[in-house]
């Protein structure tokens, strides 16, 4: 069964309590917690109490990777992953999301696959490596991740697909989903305004359907495959500011999009419907980015 959760980054700068509250109000199946410098995000007692209060299970943990969480769980990437896995086990999360190592982390990069395979076997928690993107420096593409921003070449059992990162890399998420096959075990549900390598945009994390990525087609593909992982809404709602009614509307829109495109009884019109939805909402996307 496909579970549709909400990432806590979807409500930043709101705190963890508000993330659980909004996920419950929107009707999600659970949450993914991004470990940040906010101590509540890695305190299993706080997380457990919020999970029980709002009836929101923790589906996944995202290891600390954001700039402002550089020193959370220490600086050793293996220790960060180990502590994220320990937290996942304490709160009952089935998956930990991790990014590929940076190229300058040579020792970590050299042993990354072995570490992932070892720790997944030892803990029983799925470690899903997320696709990232190249950076453009002085007009040239730089690849800061080792061996690549696309983790499909890694000999690991599980991968996370992020549509916004695919957009920033200038590739179609549908191509990545096809390449990865059944190793695609986790999804960050969002959108981006490009599928072209020449178009460089910000890491937008748009509401799904408001960009150019084939989000609906990928979800339909996963449903046909019998995908039983989690779809985690990971949108950028900072433009909502203190307007939680607007933020909640975006969260519900993301949830309904996921439900609609994973419904197997819709026949063969999913791709057409998804394309029409993107076109109809392009003006909405422009307003979201502008605001």
């Amino acid at each position: 069964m496909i579970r549709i959760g909400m990432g806590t980054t979807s409500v930043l700068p709101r705190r963890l309590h508000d993330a659980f509250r909004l996920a419950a109000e929107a009707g999600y199946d659970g949450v993914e917690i991004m470990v940040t410098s906010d101590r509540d995000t890695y305190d299993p007692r706080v997380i457990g109490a919020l999970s029980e209060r709002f009836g929101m299970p923790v589906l996944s943990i995202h290891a600390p990777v954001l700039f402002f969480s550089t020193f959370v769980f220490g600086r050793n990437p293996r220790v960060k992953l180990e502590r994220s896995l320990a937290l996942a086990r304490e709160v009952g999360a089935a998956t930990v999301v991790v990014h590929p190592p940076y190229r300058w982390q040579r020792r970590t990069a050299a042993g990354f696959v072995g570490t992932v395979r070892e720790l997944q076997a030892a803990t029983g928690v799925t470690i899903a490596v997320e696709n990232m993107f190249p950076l453009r420096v002085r007009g040239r593409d730089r690849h800061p991740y080792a061996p690549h921003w696309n983790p499909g070449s890694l000999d690991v059992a599980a991968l996370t697909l992020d549509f916004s990162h695919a957009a920033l890399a200038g590739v179609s998420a549908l191509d990545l989903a096809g390449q990865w096959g059944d190793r695609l075990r986790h999804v960050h549900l969002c959108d981006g305004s490009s599928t072209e390598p020449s178009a460089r945009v910000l890491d937008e994390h748009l509401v799904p359907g408001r960009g150019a990525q084939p989000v609906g087609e990928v979800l339909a593909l996963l449903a046909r495959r019998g995908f039983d992982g989690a779809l985690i809404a990971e949108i950028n709602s900072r433009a909502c500011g203190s307007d939680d009614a607007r933020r909640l509307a975006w969260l519900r829109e993301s949830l309904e999009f996921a439900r609609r495109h994973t419904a197997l009884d819709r026949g063969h019109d999913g791709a057409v419907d998804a394309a029409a939805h993107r076109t109809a909402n392009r003006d909405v996307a422009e307003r979201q980015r502008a605001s």
Side-chain angles (χ1 to χ4, degrees), residues 20-238:
F20 274 91
R21 174 179 59 82
L22 289 165
E25 289 182 21
Y28 283 91
D29 296 327
V31 299
E32 172 173 296
I33 296 177
M34 168 70 84
V35 176
T36 70
S37 54
D38 177 359
R39 291 181 178 273
D40 286 350
T41 64
Y42 53 90
D43 186 329
R45 292 170 298 179
V46 172
I47 294 169
L50 290 171
S51 177
E52 183 175 357
R53 176 178 175 183
F54 291 103
M56 286 281 102
V58 180
L59 303 178
S60 45
I61 296 292
H62 198 311
V65 295
L66 299 178
F67 176 75
F68 53 82
S69 58
T70 300
F71 301 106
V72 176
F73 291 170
R75 300 195 66 175
N76 184 309
R78 179 183 175 112
V79 173
K80 283 177 175 284
L81 182 53
E82 288 174 337
R83 293 190 61 179
S84 298
L85 288 162
L87 176 63
R89 295 188 72 179
E90 285 189 85
V91 300
T95 302
V96 165
V97 178
V98 65
H99 290 181
Y102 292 110
R103 285 194 178 278
W104 54 84
Q105 297 173 313
R106 294 183 180 178
R107 182 176 300 177
T108 298
F112 181 69
V113 169
T115 296
V116 168
R117 291 167 64 92
E118 173 196 340
L119 294 180
Q120 180 163 309
T123 62
V125 177
T126 296
I127 303 173
V129 185
E130 184 174 359
N131 63 302
M132 297 305 293
F133 44 82
L135 299 177
R136 176 150 289 197
V137 180
R138 296 177 182 174
R140 300 182 62 184
D141 280 348
R142 304 292 184 184
H143 296 275
Y145 298 97
H148 198 262
W149 60 261
N150 179 355
S153 63
L154 298 177
D155 186 17
V156 295
L159 301 170
T160 295
L161 176 60
D162 186 299
F163 291 94
S164 183
H165 294 175
L168 194 51
V171 299
S172 166
L174 190 60
D175 290 340
L176 293 179
Q179 293 168 21
W180 296 354
D182 290 339
R183 291 193 300 154
L184 174 46
R185 300 297 306 138
H186 197 76
V187 172
H188 281 163
L189 180 64
C190 52
D191 208 338
S193 59
S194 175
T195 58
E196 300 298 326
S198 59
R200 280 292 182 265
V201 294
L202 298 175
D203 189 11
E204 299 164 296
H205 285 268
L206 301 173
V207 171
R210 296 188 182 184
Q213 283 289 318
V215 186
E217 292 92 324
V218 172
L219 299 189
L221 172 65
L222 293 179
R224 292 194 299 271
R225 282 181 182 173
F227 179 80
D228 61 355
L231 309 176
I232 303 294
E234 193 178 76
I235 65 171
N236 183 352
S237 70
R238 288 181 181 272

